Amino acid sequence: MSTEFFKNIGKIKYEGRESDNPLAFKWYDEDRVVAGKPLKEHMRFAVAYWHTLVNKGGDPFGAPTETLPWDKSEDAITRAKDKMDAAFEFITKLGVPYYCFHDIDIVDEAPTLSEFEKRMHTMTDYAKQKQQETGVKLLWGTSNLFSNPRYMNGASTNPNFDVVAYASAQAKIALDATMTLDGENYVFWGGREGYMSLLNTDMKREQDHLAQFLTMCKDYARKNGFKGNFFIEPKPMEPTKHQYDYDAATSIGFINKYGLQDDFKLNIEVNHATLAGHTFQHELQVAANEGLLGSIDANRGDYQNGWDTDQFPIDIYEITESMLVLLETGGLQGGGINFDAKVRRNSTDLDDKFIAHIAGMDAFARGLICADHVLKNTNYKKLRTERYASFDNGDGAKFEKGDLSLEDLSKIANSKGEPQQISGKQELYEQIIANAY
Ligand code: XLS
Ligand code: NI
Ligand code: NI
């Protein structure tokens, strides 16, 4: 029997809207059927290992503020196992079906690659056993190719081939671990795949290398039986000045240019969208339009700060609009909703981690319920459909089919004269969303 780390906390229950218990769900009733399926199937929530089990609240101005009771042993493997015990205790008490990790969240790097690989084998065996005992599954794995100083000039886009080889070897270990653990997806977030100065950068060559690396990883995993999705996670900047996977549209262009569209989809993160100058819902819609909406990294930014604050999501208005996109597009392709979010560094109690996740899960559940209400019980869909009604028949329909030439349009415009002014009715749509609660 392993140590219990979250001693005063039991299994989190759904208690409904009237409850004032911070350690209970108010909206996330996992079996409640909304839009044809239970909430838990829409959401497929995941806990992010790095924020919840690893991060200790250090920032560029100050030392870590949190003491993690599983982070005590001097021995790397014992410490990794304690951390994993804590992870599975947290995840099962919270009642979340999935988790996500970077390789080095699971166990510390070692002096050599082969020693690191051995450590990863020990820990994937341990994780496999934990997954079997609890039924918790791996939503996605990834490799951290950005923290170690060796990656300061990039990983797969490093101008030094030796670093590219090293990064590839590390990715192979993480792919193996993901496959051993029946991970459903694999993520690539290119934290250092970009540049700090264009002056010293051959951008085209670096992007070709990134594509080469992704292709190799995909080929290797497919050859070894991996059936899941590969996700690219766009982010415009931080830590680099300019990241190559800038936003959804840029990443889609990249995926198509390099012929990766059959295997790669997108993992959209809220705070990355806002850093790129977009809304979360915009990024979801761009991915959905291309059939590439794979997964979500849930968090929120701070609208006064220009960095990835990774706060827990509680903005119900933003989430409702996003869930409208999700419901209308038919859901996520293979992914889930991963809380890529951390408690603030002055939130130092262990139960703060539970409260943060519960609030985030409730916010998403509530947003989905509201979005479903908007789609079913209001004029929202009808209004939008009617807005485009002029293309449903007549010349509009011919135009959509490509049956009209520019000369035809010129004739039509000349015979009809100045078009009628039609209101966009933005406030009416906003009123519908605001009244959905
Ligand atoms: C950082 C990213 C990272 C990825 C996984 O901003 O969000 O956490 O999700 O490497
Ligand atoms: Ni992320
Ligand atoms: Ni992020």
Side-chain angles (χ1 to χ4, degrees), residues 51 189 233 235 238 269 271-272 297 299 308 310 340:
H51 285 308
W189 172 64
E233 183 178 321
K235 186 176 182 182
E238 200 207 4
E269 179 162 327
N271 206 166
H272 297 183
D297 266 11
N299 56 24
D308 200 6
D310 285 344
D340 196 350

Side-chain angles (χ1 to χ4, degrees), residues 394-415:
D395 288 336
K398 281 193 205 155
F399 166 83
E400 277 197 351
K401 274 203 215 125
D403 288 348
L404 296 180
S405 67
L406 194 60
E407 293 93 319
D408 293 333
L409 291 185
S410 175
K411 259 187 230 148
I412 293 166
N414 273 297
S415 78

Side-chain angles (χ1 to χ4, degrees), residues 248 252 266 268 282-294:
I252 288 167
L266 299 181
I268 301 295
H282 168 92
E283 289 292 83
L284 294 176
Q285 188 67 61
V286 171
N289 292 348
E290 209 65 25
L292 294 181
L293 178 54

Side-chain angles (χ1 to χ4, degrees), residues 66-200:
E66 277 189 71
T67 325
L68 302 175
W70 49 87
D71 188 48
K72 293 239 159 82
S73 171
E74 293 295 316
D75 173 62
I77 293 294
T78 310
R79 206 167 58 252
K81 287 188 174 170
D82 287 346
K83 181 163 55 175
M84 193 164 279
D85 291 343
F88 279 81
E89 185 192 333
F90 181 83
I91 296 164
T92 47
K93 282 184 169 173
L94 188 61
V96 161
Y98 288 100
Y99 70 116
C100 300
F101 63 71
H102 300 88
D103 45 4
I104 66 167
D105 300 332
I106 296 295
V107 66
D108 295 349
E109 282 196 83
T112 65
L113 256 176
S114 71
E115 266 175 80
F116 177 56
E117 185 155 19
K118 253 190 240 144
R119 285 184 178 183
M120 282 295 287
H121 282 161
T122 307
M123 290 314 299
T124 38
D125 285 349
Y126 197 64
K128 184 132 206 153
Q129 189 192 321
K130 289 258 162 198
Q131 289 184 189
Q132 273 157 7
E133 280 164 22
T134 59
V136 171
K137 294 178 282 184
L138 178 62
L139 186 66
W140 50 261
T142 187
S143 48
N144 178 324
L145 303 178
F146 46 90
S147 294
N148 193 295
R150 82 172 72 87
Y151 299 125
M152 67 180 186
N153 288 306
S156 71
T157 61
N158 200 294
N160 176 3
F161 169 71
D162 290 348
V163 179
V164 177
Y166 204 103
S168 305
Q170 198 185 320
K172 179 175 171 291
I173 296 171
L175 282 163
D176 286 337
T178 304
M179 289 190 281
T180 307
L181 295 173
D182 299 317
E184 297 182 16
N185 309 279
Y186 189 87
V187 162
F188 293 93
W189 172 64
R192 305 268 174 202
E193 315 293 30
Y195 62 79
M196 300 306 284
S197 167
L198 194 53
L199 289 173
N200 65 4

Side-chain angles (χ1 to χ4, degrees), residues 303-321:
Y303 294 101
Q304 275 82 54
N305 292 159
W307 69 85
D308 200 6
T309 58
D310 285 344
Q311 285 163 256
F312 273 84
I314 45 141
D315 183 340
I316 296 162
Y317 194 88
E318 177 179 62
I319 296 170
T320 302
E321 284 195 29

